[in-house]
Amino acid sequence: MATVSLRVGDLVWGKLGGYPPWPGKIVNPPKDLKKPRGKKCFFVKFFGTEDHAWIKVDQLKSYQLHKEEMVKITKGKRFQQAVDAVEEFIKSKDAFPEPSTVKRLITGPVAEYKWKQVKDDPHFHHFLLSQSEKSGSCSAIIQKLKTTAEEEAESTSIQAADSTATNGTVTPTDKRIGFLGLGLMGSGIVANLLKMGHTVTVWNRTGEKCDPFLQEGARLGRTPAEVVSTCDITLSCISDPKSAKDLVLGPSGVLQGIRPGKCYVDMSTVDPETATEISQVITSRGGRFLEAPVSGNRQLSENGMLVVLAAGDKALFDDCSSCFQAMGKKSFYLGEVGNASKMMLIVNMILGSFMASVAEGFTLAKIASQSQEVLLYILSQGPLASAFLDQKCQSILQGNFKPDFLLKHIQKDLRLAIAMGDAVNHSTPMAAAANEVFKKAKALDQSENDMSAVYLACNQ
């Protein structure tokens, strides 16, 4: 697994011993202060204090990504003063703020801490792999993989584009943007499009879901056809292939608003046949088409940290640059229509199979009288450590399956991936087994819960 890419100048949360996470900035250490031997760490200057210290990389989190959760779990006047100092720094972009008279937090050498590893980072913008900080053979292997991926990208139609939204430098397109579908993913996407200054017209089958966005400056479209006819580029994010086709071909649907030059971007996760069919009907009317399914979940959508997989009209992909930057940390152009759907189904097939395995493991731990909490901690210290693993395991431990990625959607993706394998005469036994467990969870009325609710099926 690639390590987190942190660098001098990044704003972070640093954890020290029994103290709460504290906001700081990675800076260059004084020349006479040597880095601790055998420790992968950064020199951090803490806001609102006179303190600085070497902090191990696994005790650091991105400030922007984790601000909300840190503010919720940490209280106190001094802490709030430190957060305020960070926000002032972000606004001004000036030199590091002068230390206050707040009592020092740190004394003595950096201790050994137990804290969740960092896996999310706004600077994770390399193609497929971030640069490893590890030394020796591991570094060489990772660098070789990175170079191979880049060479392959250059030799094919695959292109990757970085997002700059996390740094607040997105320049919104002057094109009018339409958006159809305000579910878990669509709502976060639209919020970030508006936040970054795009002109957006929204439509949703359930009209009340449009209200919060209208209050933020969005315009209302009465039908999909009206949105398409009044906008330059219309994006959609719908739940499944049938819904995606109905949205285009149904009464007052997308196709009714298409005329030469109008652009339609389908961000739904569908099978390649559906993507091709939609592309053909759009282009037959003189429209331009791009498939652009997104990898992520509700939280990543709200944070503007999705990964966009696109295929189709390359010029339209370029025209959508500011939109993709607003909603995601990375966008890939994969060539002809159908490629993005195939890649997205493979990604979600792996995701769903992994989730089913995690649920099965936690069930076995319970039956074998082993602590599930200890199991999570052990997993978090090994090669499987990730924000996804931590989030889903916490849902299992707490019995809280509030939807972040709907269970019925991951089961749909598994089904489509299996069918894709059948179409090319390739068996997918692991995905097939996972699919059966998710189908069982659906039978237990867990469709509208998070995919982690598959754990309940493993307990039956």
Side-chain angles (χ1 to χ4, degrees):
M1 182 176 293
T3 58
V4 176
S5 176
L6 292 174
R7 57 191 179 189
V8 172
D10 285 354
L11 297 174
V12 294
W13 296 96
K15 186 74 172 68
L16 290 165
Y19 295 103
W22 206 267
K25 179 182 177 184
I26 296 177
V27 298
N28 288 315
K31 292 182 179 180
D32 59 345
L33 190 59
K34 293 183 179 181
K35 187 175 182 179
R37 294 182 61 183
K39 292 183 178 180
K40 193 187 307 177
C41 52
F42 287 99
F43 194 75
V44 177
K45 170 63 181 171
F46 289 91
F47 282 84
T49 79
E50 299 178 351
D51 288 298
H52 47 265
W54 288 104
I55 308 294
K56 293 197 301 181
V57 68
D58 60 357
Q59 310 303 319
L60 295 172
K61 289 189 176 190
S62 164
Y63 175 83
Q64 295 285 14
L65 286 179
H66 297 275
K67 174 185 171 183
E68 188 172 275
E69 67 179 271
M70 292 299 120
V71 170
K72 284 182 179 179
I73 66 174
T74 310
K75 305 294 182 182
K77 183 177 180 180
R78 287 182 295 173
F79 175 81
Q80 188 58 53
Q81 288 174 342
V83 173
D84 292 342
V86 181
E87 298 301 319
E88 286 300 317
F89 173 78
I90 292 173
K91 291 178 183 178
S92 66
K93 299 294 182 181
D94 287 335
F96 201 86
E98 291 296 322
S100 70
T101 56
V102 176
K103 184 179 179 181
R104 291 178 62 83
L105 292 175
I106 312 156
T107 56
V110 178
E112 295 292 330
Y113 315 111
K114 294 180 180 179
W115 206 40
K116 186 172 66 178
Q117 287 185 318
V118 183
K119 296 298 174 188
D120 295 321
D121 180 70
H123 301 299
F124 184 67
H125 296 323
H126 299 298
F127 185 87
L128 298 182
L129 289 173
S130 65
Q131 179 62 46
S132 172
E133 295 176 7
K134 292 185 177 181
S135 59
S137 60
C138 183
S139 177
I141 291 171
I142 292 177
Q143 182 58 42
K144 183 177 180 180
L145 289 172
K146 179 176 179 288
T147 301
T148 301
E150 290 172 341
E151 289 174 350
E152 182 178 350
E154 292 174 0
S155 65
T156 68
S157 60
I158 300 173
Q159 296 183 24
D162 289 337
S163 166
T164 52
T166 52
N167 296 324
T169 57
V170 170
T171 301
T173 178
D174 58 3
K175 298 182 183 297
R176 295 164 297 180
I177 304 300
F179 201 94
L180 312 175
L182 298 173
L184 289 181
M185 303 293 280
S187 294
I189 291 172
V190 171
N192 281 299
L193 288 173
L194 290 169
K195 180 180 178 181
M196 293 298 167
H198 294 82
T199 299
V200 185
T201 299
V202 296
W203 173 88
N204 190 70
R205 184 175 56 184
T206 306
E208 303 85 72
K209 287 189 176 182
C210 296
D211 293 342
F213 303 105
L214 301 182
Q215 295 174 12
E216 295 299 321
R219 302 171 184 178
L220 179 65
R222 292 174 296 179
T223 66
E226 180 182 284
V227 174
V228 173
S229 64
T230 58
C231 295
D232 301 304
I233 301 174
T234 299
L235 301 88
S236 69
C237 191
I238 306 299
S239 60
D240 55 55
K242 182 181 184 303
S243 299
K245 287 192 283 189
D246 288 347
L247 182 67
V248 173
L249 303 172
S252 300
V254 168
L255 196 59
Q256 301 302 311
I258 292 291
R259 58 179 185 270
K262 290 293 182 180
C263 302
Y264 184 57
V265 181
D266 192 344
M267 308 190 77
S268 313
T269 298
V270 299
D271 55 281
E273 292 77 18
T274 295
T276 300
E277 181 180 344
I278 292 175
S279 174
Q280 289 172 345
V281 297
I282 295 296
T283 55
S284 70
R285 294 284 183 90
R288 300 163 60 196
F289 178 77
L290 187 74
E291 60 166 343
V294 290
S295 178
N297 52 33
R298 177 191 57 78
Q299 183 176 348
L300 293 176
S301 176
E302 291 175 352
N303 292 339
M305 296 295 286
L306 297 170
V307 174
V308 182
L309 308 181
D313 190 316
K314 178 58 169 64
L316 179 51
F317 173 78
D318 295 335
D319 289 342
C320 290
S321 176
S322 72
C323 295
F324 292 160
Q325 289 175 358
M327 69 181 73
K329 65 178 179 179
K330 193 78 167 181
S331 57
F332 292 85
Y333 179 74
L334 302 176
E336 64 182 18
V337 171
N339 285 346
S341 296
K342 292 176 183 178
M343 187 66 79
M344 188 73 259
L345 289 178
I346 294 169
V347 169
N348 282 357
M349 179 186 75
I350 295 170
L351 193 69
S353 299
F354 178 66
M355 182 69 252
S357 293
V358 170
E360 188 171 74
F362 270 71
T363 300
L364 181 57
K366 178 181 178 182
I367 295 173
S369 301
Q370 297 300 299
S371 168
Q372 292 179 326
E373 289 80 4
V374 172
L375 172 60
L376 173 55
Y377 182 71
I378 291 172
L379 291 173
S380 72
Q381 302 305 303
L384 294 179
S386 65
F388 174 82
L389 177 74
D390 181 72
Q391 181 189 45
K392 298 311 176 187
C393 292
Q394 290 293 346
S395 294
I396 290 173
L397 292 176
Q398 297 168 15
N400 180 3
F401 303 110
K402 179 180 178 181
D404 193 54
F405 191 128
L406 286 174
L407 184 142
K408 66 178 181 181
H409 289 170
I410 196 67
Q411 189 275 320
K412 174 262 299 182
D413 294 344
L414 282 165
R415 172 174 54 82
L416 294 177
I418 294 167
M420 186 173 74
D422 291 341
V424 293
N425 296 315
H426 180 74
S427 63
T428 51
M430 301 302 175
N435 186 46
E436 292 304 314
V437 184
F438 278 100
K439 286 166 60 177
K440 184 177 180 180
K442 287 178 64 177
L444 295 172
D445 295 325
Q446 298 302 313
S447 291
E448 300 298 326
N449 283 331
D450 186 69
M451 67 162 75
S452 54
V454 71
Y455 170 74
L456 301 177
C458 294
N459 276 272
Q460 294 294 311

